[in-house]
Amino acid sequence: MPNASARPKHGRRPRRRRREDPARNELVSSSLESAQQCLFNQDYGTAFVHYLLVLNLAPAFKDFAKESFRFTLSKWAEELDSVGRIQDLFDCYEQALEVYPADEVILNSMGEHLFRMGFRDEAAGHFHKALKLRPDFPEARENFYRVANWLVERWHFLMLNDHKRNLKYQQAIHKAVQSGCSTVLDIGTGTGILSMCAKNAGAAEVYACELSKTMYELACEVLTANGMDGRIKIQHIKSLEMEIPKDIPQRVSLVVTETVDAGLFGEGIIESLIHAWHHLLLPPPTGENESQDPSLVGRVIPAGATVFGMAVESTEIRRHHRLCVSSVGGLSLAGAGELRSPVSCSAEPDETMEPYTTERLSRLPGGYKALTQPFTALDIDFNNVKELEGLCSRETEQIRLPVTEEGELDALVVWFQLRLDEESSLSTGPKEDTCWEQAIYPVHITNGFVLKPGDELLVEVSCHDCFLRLCSVSVQRDGHTISLDNSADSLGPGNPVSNPSAEAELCTALEGLQTDQEQTRDFCMLESSEMALLNNHDYHSSFSSAMAKLISSMKAKGQKPEAVPGSQSEVNDLLYVLDVSEGFSLLPLIAASNGDVKAFSSVEKKQQQEVLKKMALANNIPEKNLEFWLNHSEDEQGMLKRPAREKLWSAIVLECVETCGLIRQKLMEKASLARCLLEDGGRVFPERIVVYGMLVESDTLLLESAVQGQEPTLGFNIAPFINQFTVPVHVFLDFSTLECKHLSESVELFVLDLMEANANYTHREVKVQTTCSGRITAVPFWYQIYLDQEISVSTLDHKSHWKQAAAVLQQPLEVTAGDWVYLAVKLHKSTISISAHIDNGPRTTMEQ
């Protein structure tokens, strides 16, 4: 008898053959049949449940059912999304990923839903996983590039490439640790560079926290690559949620952080430092313990900051934040009321408004003029917890600024000097070569106001909600006070930028006193890009001309006896125009102003619809000639339907180029659908887009696109990890102010024909001759948008509301004057990719 206790060789039990289960097989077979039948009947929810059952019971069917399951999941997710069952939607994706954990299509689809819901961190993770599984997956790559712009903003690369900034932080941390600060907490660690500086300086314990899941995972990779894994304890947590001993065992002697934005406090540094002083840091030095061992008291790097401000004139800032024209495209804007951007500062917090935006003044198109000398707006000591706590309860400070130059008051600009310790500081000033931009507090005086030397500008500075707020309140001139809040109304429709007499200013002041101060003026908010579009006079004029030509030709072609006003025949003779532009658009009104046109607008916000109605009334456009189409539609493709009658569209207006300088997603698919919905002789606006580009050498674009090796990051190995989020196209670019060397003339790269499908191609090779020697680092590109055969507008125009973009090469290409460079330009959906080489030289790729 064999030994019953004997174990099989190699210590493994023999695998038993699974016995067939007839009932189970029958269930699988019937469920698969039911899934296919439900799919045929478009009952996607039931089909999804049956497929899940089959795939869980019989994994052998995974390959067979994969395509059908993907399609079912996609359609069922669309249905759940349309009825707002968001939790059920994500539950379905989680169930799908349990069955297919390494399916790049499902990962990408879930990422798209997450991104639409605002979960950018999570979306990026799914896109990244999809790309790791299939690096040539174009949809996932395009999605990842777009979300990467949100998660790892371009300033991350600039900051890490800023050797001066990194070195000063390293020196301040080294000095603090050497003086006895042996335990360190890095708040908002990012890539972990400051934590690694602390550890290399000799800190006994280093802790780090990072709120962004993407940056946390990136920092973990960086720490491992630099031999710091386990030596620095990093957590994915908000510092305000950290506790002792749950998250760190004891209070630390040093907090390092760089959670500052252009307005200093916008990333929550005040709240995080107050919390740290109360819960995570050792007590600060006081009169009693100033001579104590440094390891027994707490301190913060940076130690404090001084905020500076200045009043400026800038046409670029002006046109993005307030109305600068009285008419566009033949329409008077008098009836529109006050229109302004959502960036507006007042002493009292307003959740609907942002207190400031940001600009790099050194690269501002058209430049700027300083109207006052720089002034100190605020000084803060980060090592004084009482001062930090008292910041939000400080009295609003009034500062009087002597005006030194005449000019229109457009904004207050702000920068700061960050004191790392007693000896070292960093400045974010407009004349500094720094990774920071400056904070912009625009002035919303409707008709503008000209300051002149001798005036005093009264500015209020407050910080009631831990946001720095600067507000231009009034101007003191010749002994009279002119309220800037009321000056737009009181200056009247004459020359608003002329200097009124002292008597007129006194009347203005008296009028302001008689006005109910509690009453707020009625205004409508538009995004700053929408304000710039509204101020783009040339674009609207060109559209008006092209639309008038089309309407005239359509009317001439279908001439009929004059219809009786209000009759059915008059309704039938109307031409139908559909505008599917995103956001606020005057194009439907311009179309309707031609008469005998019914225009359909895609504007969704009620307040903006009211503005268009008021404008229609002021411009004598009948109310029945303007309709708002699909107010609550989530499906952009759903807008491209014929009106509620049998007649097709005479014109369909597509928004083709994003403000940032990229082609709109799914543009060619929308154009294809739009062509099918046009009546004979109808047109798509625009009908054609020509893409132009130029070869340039620009170190600036390189620094903003990727970390350039280990030297700027103090020898730490960070570049390969942060550069995973390198996006091969730089957006929101102002080519007119970009520091670059032109290596060629401009050249036509590609043509997108929205009216002639057969005229389009998917790829072409462009031959470009260099005009001088250098390194090709990028190809900036822009568009000539043809509204019809003769009328066009350029996105390169300095008055344009569009910015430019630049495709950045993975590796610079050395050229000499006269070389022929070959650009292989390809179009996949709405994404343009470019590869470059010199004759038989190496190819280097970039994408839009």
Side-chain angles (χ1 to χ4, degrees), residues 184-188 209 238-244 248 250-257 259 268-284 297-301 382-385 388-389:
V184 182
L185 171 63
D186 180 4
I187 295 178
C209 63
K238 192 174 185 178
S239 71
L240 297 176
E241 298 170 356
M242 295 185 76
E243 300 175 4
I244 292 174
I248 56 176
Q250 66 219 356
R251 288 178 178 256
V252 297
S253 53
L254 176 65
V255 159
V256 297
T257 187
T259 49
I269 190 171
I270 298 299
E271 301 98 312
S272 62
L273 289 183
I274 291 173
H275 176 268
W277 278 116
H278 283 298
H279 302 284
L280 308 173
L281 258 170
L282 290 167
V297 295
R299 59 181 295 190
V300 173
I301 295 176
F382 294 145
N383 283 301
N384 187 329
V385 67
L388 291 170
E389 290 175 323

Side-chain angles (χ1 to χ4, degrees), residues 585-607:
S585 172
L586 292 183
L587 302 187
L589 273 186
I590 293 175
S593 67
N594 286 277
D596 297 329
V597 172
K598 180 151 188 170
F600 291 77
S601 167
S602 59
V603 170
E604 297 184 48
K605 295 179 181 178
K606 294 295 183 184
Q607 192 181 24

Side-chain angles (χ1 to χ4, degrees), residues 668-836:
M668 301 311 290
E669 293 92 325
K670 291 179 184 177
S672 178
L673 181 56
R675 288 193 298 271
C676 299
L677 300 174
L678 293 173
E679 65 173 302
D680 185 32
R683 308 295 292 176
V684 172
F685 280 85
E687 65 174 43
R688 185 163 52 98
I689 301 172
V690 181
V691 186
Y692 288 94
M694 179 185 290
L695 307 178
V696 303
E697 177 179 347
S698 174
D699 289 334
T700 298
L701 286 178
L702 289 180
L703 293 174
E704 293 180 358
S705 300
V707 174
Q708 304 298 310
Q710 293 188 15
E711 183 180 354
T713 55
L714 311 175
F716 293 118
N717 186 17
I718 296 176
F721 306 96
I722 188 73
N723 287 351
Q724 294 178 73
F725 292 87
T726 294
V727 177
V729 64
H730 184 102
V731 295
F732 286 110
L733 173 70
D734 285 301
F735 193 28
S736 63
T737 60
L738 175 69
E739 293 182 17
C740 67
K741 178 182 179 182
H742 295 189
L743 300 180
S744 76
E745 301 292 338
S746 61
V747 62
E748 180 184 299
L749 296 177
F750 213 81
V751 178
L752 303 176
D753 198 315
L754 278 61
M755 280 298 296
E756 297 291 338
N758 294 331
N760 285 313
Y761 39 81
T762 57
H763 63 276
R764 69 181 298 219
E765 186 168 77
V766 180
K767 189 177 177 182
V768 190
Q769 187 170 31
T770 58
T771 54
C772 57
S773 301
R775 295 155 53 244
I776 302 174
T777 60
V779 180
F781 56 89
W782 58 93
Y783 312 94
Q784 194 74 24
I785 301 175
Y786 285 85
L787 301 172
D788 63 19
Q789 290 292 332
E790 294 85 24
I791 300 175
S792 68
V793 293
S794 172
T795 64
L796 192 62
D797 189 279
H798 71 280
K799 296 179 181 178
S800 169
H801 63 284
W802 290 291
K803 300 296 185 182
Q804 294 82 54
V808 181
L809 275 67
Q810 292 177 352
Q811 295 293 331
L813 202 58
E814 295 280 350
V815 294
T816 57
D819 282 348
W820 286 99
V821 178
Y822 295 86
L823 301 177
V825 188
K826 296 181 180 180
L827 178 71
H828 176 267
K829 294 189 175 180
S830 299
T831 299
I832 296 174
S833 63
I834 305 171
S835 62

Side-chain angles (χ1 to χ4, degrees), residues 430-533:
K431 295 182 179 179
E432 300 289 338
D433 183 16
T434 173
C435 58
W436 279 284
E437 295 182 328
Q438 290 76 50
I440 307 295
Y441 295 77
V443 174
H444 288 289
I445 305 172
T446 307
N447 294 321
F449 186 81
V450 171
L451 297 175
K452 62 179 184 179
D455 291 347
E456 271 193 328
L457 177 64
L458 180 65
V459 173
E460 290 186 346
V461 180
S462 62
C463 194
H464 292 172
D465 57 347
C466 289
F467 272 93
L468 181 64
R469 296 179 177 273
L470 274 73
C471 180
S472 303
V473 177
S474 63
V475 173
Q476 190 79 18
R477 178 179 292 171
D478 299 330
H480 303 297
T481 299
I482 306 171
S483 172
L484 295 179
D485 288 337
N486 297 315
S487 60
D489 298 326
S490 58
L491 286 173
N495 180 5
V497 295
S498 63
N499 292 319
S501 66
E503 182 179 355
E505 293 164 0
L506 183 58
C507 291
T508 296
L510 291 173
E511 183 181 345
L513 291 175
Q514 294 169 356
T515 303
D516 180 7
Q517 297 301 318
E518 297 298 319
Q519 184 178 1
T520 57
R521 285 184 295 166
D522 183 31
F523 65 89
C524 178
M525 283 191 299
L526 301 178
E527 294 300 324
S528 58
S529 58
E530 293 174 326
M531 287 301 308
L533 167 60

